[in-house]
Amino acid sequence: MTDSGPSGHTEILLSDYQAPPWRIVHAELAFDLDAESTEVTARLELQADPERPDAPLRLDGEELELLAIALDGQPLDASRYRMDELGLHVDGAHGACVLETRCRIHPSRNT
């Protein structure tokens, strides 16, 4: 069972938990820090769960400004991904792949 908590986020009960369909095998992160605007560059080596090989790739993240995105070294056209208020959805990712992103965040707004 799920329920919307006081923050407006959906709470997932342990009895409803499922492991994510994608695993992060290796992550490299770089930060260009600033109090007002910080850029985060991420290189994620990902592996799809063999039990769910066709599951969509979705990464959680709120209040991010996506500046660049590439899958297996190829920049993605805007038709291959979408951002919503809860995260990033990438179309066409299968098996093992490398996702590279550059995002801008605003630490001063994180209260």
Side-chain angles (χ1 to χ4, degrees), residues 4-22:
S4 182
S7 66
H9 291 83
T10 300
E11 295 176 1
I12 300 173
L13 301 177
L14 182 58
S15 59
D16 294 332
Y17 175 78
Q18 291 184 24
W22 286 84

Side-chain angles (χ1 to χ4, degrees), residues 92-104:
H94 301 286
C97 61
V98 176
L99 181 69
E100 297 171 278
T101 58
R102 189 166 49 93
C103 295
R104 181 174 293 125

